[in-house]
């Protein structure tokens, strides 16, 4: 069996190898995704985001435990900061999810941001395809946690949980527009602390000013304590309600497809441009004021079009 067939049979080693291939973004990765794409659409994709220190990994671990109690197969993509030495993931999230390491129904993969500022690693969407095709019922994506840039996850997940905590200013951060608009559920973690009720109340108050997306119900605000395991049932219930909205999920699937297509187009066009012209040479010309950026860009795009037109002829 080739690697695609092994992924479809849920082979953990093949899944790990497949994700490595899409991280490398080679020609083998393109063929792999092409084979797996038609076998996707079954997994429910859940994104979890929030500022560093709000307890995302601990909460993910609690959710995985609850999902496994329902006999769901779970894939977790934990996007970690990039190591400045190796360029890989620092793996802090995998350490916190260690209690699930011996569970064959849970697959955990850490992925490095590689300098990407949108909260997700560039290959995450392909990794979601792999985990979906491998038969996981739920794919959870935990973002790196960089604050207001955490919006890419809303274009990747069926449901997005924004996590905040009381007493550190994160309740104020959570109600800023960027993060406010991506949440389907707000989870106020560490709710055993003082100020949890106030934090939840402020978010509820701000939600009354938000225009609902496509008529979707107002996001739920759930108080939880991931460390103590409190409120997890309420969070699962709220999440189940969001994921049951078929029309809403269909809209999200279309947004996800558009975002993926645009990302692939940008990357492929850039690669084609680099084949016909040295970016460094063009940049040097811009710095020397020999050409402006718009003219340089259009000249390079026209070069790609001429090259392809000539190849077809």
């Amino acid at each position: 069996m080739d690697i695609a067939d092994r992924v479809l049979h849920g082979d953990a080693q093949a899944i790990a190898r497949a994700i490595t291939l899409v991280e490398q973004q080679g020609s083998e990765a393109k063929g792999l995704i092409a084979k797996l794409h038609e076998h996707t659409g079954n997994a429910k994709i859940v994104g979890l985001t929030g500022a560093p220190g709000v307890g995302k990994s601990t909460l993910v671990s609690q959710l995985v435990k609850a999902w496994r109690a329902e006999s769901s197969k779970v894939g977790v993509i934990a996007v970690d900061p990039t190591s400045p030495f190796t360029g890989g993931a620092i793996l802090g999230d995998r350490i916190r999810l260690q209690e699930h390491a011996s569970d064959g129904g849970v697959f955990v993969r850490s992925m490095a941001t590689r300098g990407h500022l949108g909260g997700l690693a560039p290959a995450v969407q392909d990794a979601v395809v792999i985990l979906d095709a491998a038969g996981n019922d739920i794919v959870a994506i935990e973002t790196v946690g960089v604050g207001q840039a955490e919006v890419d996850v809303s274009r990747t997940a069926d449901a997005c949980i924004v996590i905040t905590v009381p007493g550190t200013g994160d309740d104020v951060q959570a109600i800023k527009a960027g993060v406010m608009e991506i949440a389907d559920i707000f989870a106020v973690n560490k709710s055993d602390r003082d100020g949890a009720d106030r934090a939840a109340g402020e978010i509820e108050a701000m939600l009354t000013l938000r225009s609902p997306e496509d008529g979707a119900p107002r996001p739920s605000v759930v108080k939880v304590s991931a460390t103590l395991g409190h409120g997890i049932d309420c969070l699962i219930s709220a999440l189940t309600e969001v994921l049951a909205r078929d029309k809403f999920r269909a809209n999200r699937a279309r947004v996800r497809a558009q975002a993926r297509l645009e990302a692939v187009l940008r990357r492929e066009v850039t690669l084609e441009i680099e084949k016909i012209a040295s970016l460094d040479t063009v940049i040097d010309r811009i710095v020397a004021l020999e050409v402006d950026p718009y003219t340089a860009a259009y000249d390079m795009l026209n070069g790609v079009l001429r090259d392809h037109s000539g190849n077809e002829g």
Side-chain angles (χ1 to χ4, degrees):
M1 287 192 294
D2 65 11
I3 188 168
D5 289 329
R6 290 170 60 200
V7 167
L8 292 172
H9 282 82
D11 183 326
Q13 287 186 332
I15 294 168
R17 174 60 182 157
I19 294 177
T20 298
L21 287 175
V22 300
E23 284 188 296
Q24 295 170 345
Q25 294 293 308
S27 57
E28 193 175 353
K30 297 176 185 176
L32 174 64
I33 295 301
K35 289 181 180 179
L36 297 179
H37 181 75
E38 64 180 305
H39 300 283
T40 62
N42 298 310
K44 294 174 180 176
I45 306 166
V46 179
L48 297 100
T49 189
V54 297
K56 293 189 295 294
S57 298
T58 307
L59 185 57
V60 169
S61 183
Q62 290 284 3
L63 288 172
V64 169
K65 190 183 299 183
W67 287 325
R68 290 297 292 142
E70 299 171 350
S71 300
S72 295
K73 284 187 65 178
V74 184
V76 179
I77 301 171
V79 184
D80 275 339
T82 301
S83 166
F85 302 105
T86 66
I90 292 177
L91 305 181
D93 293 305
R94 191 179 292 185
I95 293 170
R96 296 183 186 92
L97 290 162
Q98 197 63 38
E99 65 176 297
H100 306 290
S102 61
D103 187 346
V106 179
F107 182 93
V108 180
R109 176 65 175 247
S110 292
M111 299 180 73
T113 57
R114 301 185 188 276
H116 191 65
L117 297 179
L120 296 185
V124 164
Q125 290 171 320
D126 284 342
V128 169
V129 168
I130 291 165
L131 292 174
D132 188 351
N136 287 287
D137 301 296
I138 297 169
V139 176
I141 305 168
E142 180 196 337
T143 73
V144 69
V146 293
Q148 290 292 303
E150 301 287 270
V151 294
D152 281 2
V153 70
S154 68
R155 295 189 287 267
T156 303
D158 294 317
C160 185
I161 302 173
V162 171
I163 306 165
T164 184
V165 294
T168 62
D170 286 318
D171 47 337
V172 177
Q173 283 294 109
I175 58 181
K176 289 184 178 178
V179 172
M180 182 77 179
E181 293 171 358
I182 70 172
D184 299 301
I185 301 169
F186 284 94
V188 180
N189 192 23
K190 305 181 184 181
S191 60
D192 49 308
R193 292 182 177 180
D194 291 339
D197 289 339
R198 185 178 69 84
E202 287 186 358
I203 295 172
E204 289 276 15
M206 289 300 296
L207 285 173
T208 62
L209 305 177
R210 172 183 168 178
S211 299
E213 177 187 346
D214 297 326
R218 199 169 74 186
S220 302
V221 181
V222 182
K223 291 185 293 183
V224 299
S225 174
T227 303
L228 301 176
H230 296 167
I232 304 302
D233 289 345
C234 292
L235 183 57
I236 289 286
S237 178
L239 189 56
T240 300
E241 184 179 333
V242 171
L243 293 171
R245 304 170 195 157
D246 292 338
K247 182 179 178 181
F248 189 61
R249 281 190 66 203
N251 290 339
R252 285 288 177 89
R254 186 172 181 81
V255 169
R256 185 160 61 245
Q258 179 179 341
R260 191 69 190 107
L261 177 61
E262 290 173 351
V264 171
L265 283 171
R266 282 193 296 271
R267 186 179 71 240
E268 293 302 316
V269 168
T270 300
L271 291 173
E272 289 297 321
I273 285 174
E274 289 175 348
K275 290 178 183 177
I276 65 167
S278 166
L279 290 183
D280 285 338
T281 300
V282 177
I283 290 168
D284 287 340
R285 291 187 65 212
I286 294 171
V287 172
L289 306 182
E290 295 174 7
V291 65
D292 67 274
Y294 286 100
T295 301
Y298 280 112
D299 285 347
M300 295 173 84
L301 284 172
N302 286 331
V304 170
L305 294 173
R306 283 195 301 270
D307 185 58
H308 280 272
S309 178
N311 288 339
E312 290 175 3

